[in-house]
Amino acid sequence: MKDKLKEIRERALKEIEESGTAEKLNEVRVAVLGKKGELTAVLKGMKDVDASERPKVGAMVNEAREEIENALNEAKNKIESKVREMKMAKETIDVTLPAIRPLTGHRHPNQIALDEIERIFIGLGYEVVEGPEIEKDYYNFEALNIPADHPAKDEQDTFYITGDILLRTQTSGTQVHEMEKGKLPIRMISPGRVFRSDEVDATHSPSFHQVEGLLIDEKVSFSDLKGTLQEFAKELFGEETRVKFRPHHFPFTEPSAEMDVSCFKCGGEGCRFCKGSGWIEILGCGMVHPHVLEMSGVDHLKYKGFAFGVGLERIALLKYEIDDMRLLYENDSRFLQQF
Ligand code: DAH
């Protein structure tokens, strides 16, 4: 019995020492101390031991069990702390790594250009108003001196909703809405979305934005228009910017003009940016046609006015030297992040 105990004890201690994992340790515990374990079997065999020997043998078994249990616990602690150490080593945080920046929104180039345009005109005493994107034929064409058979109506490929209702092809209808309100004088700009059934390419889109401008007052002349738009161009493109007005035709203004600005890349000498001409066209403008004033309920003998229309995308593309309009609509964050 003694030898048997000694043998069990020694083997158990050796196995404990050799077992490298918690699972292995548990196997040893079950094999030795479990219900059907070796030491348990010895205890069960106590009844066969001579009564005089029993206390001594019992003490020996207890001693062996205690020793094995201690060894088991010790080994268990060792294994656990080793596992923890390994885990810690693997999970180390490298505080010197650059952090991953959270993606934040950016203002769209169109919005930056619009904010700038609004800032300039608000500074000149203009109000910002909005007009409807879904419009009556009357406001988009007729009241702007573009009757049904006018060739200008063909120039703008219109999305019609019904025979009479359409998606506006220009923001100019806002001029009429503002004049119809009957509050004079008027100084307004009206930014907004317009629609034309155009194919998408680097310079066209079926939906883009314009900023309309209108000033109505007594004694307004073409010089007021020129002075105002010259100031606008200088604010937008830099103090050294020169402007040039070329005669043009719009049905709702008379006389009409297109305004060019001196190329802000080459200063007017001619470069790739301005296609060698030194000038860049940026807007249409003119004195509001008496027909338009009359149809909108404004006394054309007492009041005069000027109007202008700017393509917002055109300004954004020019200002940020973007060469393809489609980039403005794709909303690729890698593109937008640059602004
Ligand atoms: N509505 C014109 C267009 O879409 C732009 C324009 C030109 C607006 C002259 C005006 C203006 O107010 O006076 O091409």
Side-chain angles (χ1 to χ4, degrees), residues 13 47 57 85 104 109 183 250-251 259 267 277 338:
L13 291 178
K47 61 184 188 304
V57 177
E85 253 170 50
T104 50
K183 262 177 63 188
F250 297 104
M259 184 176 89
S277 76
Q338 302 174 74

Side-chain angles (χ1 to χ4, degrees), residues 156 170 172 175 196 210 212-213 250 252-253 284-286 307-309:
Q156 300 183 350
Q170 50 187 358
S172 301
Q175 293 186 29
R196 291 182 198 179
Q210 292 184 330
E212 194 72 20
F250 297 104
F252 35 88
T253 45
C285 58
F308 53 90

Side-chain angles (χ1 to χ4, degrees), residues 85-337:
E85 253 170 50
M86 272 160 56
K87 214 172 148 194
M88 294 273 272
K90 246 202 284 178
E91 285 179 0
T92 315
I93 296 168
D94 182 352
V95 290
T96 65
L97 271 179
I100 297 168
R101 279 200 199 194
L103 274 180
T104 50
H106 286 255
R107 280 196 306 161
H108 191 280
N110 270 356
Q111 189 62 51
I112 304 174
L114 178 58
D115 287 349
E116 184 69 3
I117 294 171
E118 288 186 352
R119 183 188 66 75
I120 296 167
F121 280 102
I122 287 169
L124 292 170
Y126 285 59
E127 200 187 339
V128 180
V129 304
E130 275 187 39
E133 289 174 2
I134 296 174
E135 187 61 285
K136 286 195 173 137
D137 187 288
Y138 177 78
Y139 289 98
N140 197 75
F141 293 121
E142 222 174 298
L144 292 167
N145 206 26
I146 312 173
D149 56 355
H150 197 289
K153 225 171 154 171
D154 299 334
E155 280 168 23
Q156 300 183 350
D157 290 316
T158 312
F159 287 119
Y160 278 92
I161 293 171
T162 67
D164 186 34
I165 296 177
L166 46 79
L167 296 181
R168 67 177 174 189
T169 61
Q170 50 187 358
T171 45
S172 301
T174 326
Q175 293 186 29
V176 181
H177 286 293
E178 281 308 296
M179 287 189 274
E180 279 185 351
K181 288 181 185 164
K183 262 177 63 188
L184 296 170
I186 295 170
R187 274 199 187 121
M188 69 96 183
I189 58 166
S190 185
R193 202 165 169 184
V194 300
F195 306 85
R196 291 182 198 179
S197 76
D198 275 332
E199 293 287 335
V200 174
D201 65 25
T203 53
H204 291 86
S205 161
S207 163
F208 56 102
H209 300 79
Q210 292 184 330
V211 183
E212 194 72 20
L214 176 71
L215 179 140
I216 304 281
D217 207 338
E218 298 178 36
K219 303 193 190 91
V220 178
S221 72
F222 201 86
S223 336
D224 296 312
L225 176 157
K226 285 176 76 176
T228 303
L229 294 180
Q230 179 168 32
E231 201 49 41
F232 166 61
K234 284 186 171 185
E235 282 270 338
L236 194 60
F237 294 112
E239 191 52 39
E240 62 295 340
T241 308
R242 287 166 291 125
V243 296
K244 179 169 87 173
F245 291 84
R246 281 179 291 101
H248 200 76
H249 172 263
F250 297 104
F252 35 88
T253 45
E254 181 58 37
S256 305
E258 276 186 334
M259 184 176 89
D260 297 346
V261 293
S262 52
C263 177
F264 44 85
K265 270 254 112 137
C266 63
E269 300 206 342
C271 65
R272 257 184 50 210
F273 200 67
C274 55
K275 299 194 184 84
S277 76
W279 296 96
I280 298 170
E281 180 223 313
I282 66 157
L283 57 80
C285 58
M287 301 303 291
V288 182
H289 198 292
H291 285 172
V292 177
L293 291 174
E294 282 300 291
M295 276 188 281
S296 309
V298 174
D299 178 356
H300 78 274
L301 295 176
K302 187 168 174 206
Y303 286 98
K304 301 259 176 292
F306 63 76
F308 53 90
V310 188
L312 186 60
E313 278 79 356
R314 186 161 171 73
I315 301 292
L317 296 179
L318 284 173
K319 242 182 124 57
Y320 299 108
E321 296 176 35
I322 302 164
D323 57 10
D324 192 324
M325 193 172 178
R326 284 167 287 200
L327 287 166
L328 294 177
Y329 304 119
E330 283 163 2
N331 285 333
D332 186 326
S333 65
R334 290 168 302 179
F335 169 73
L336 293 175
Q337 261 170 30

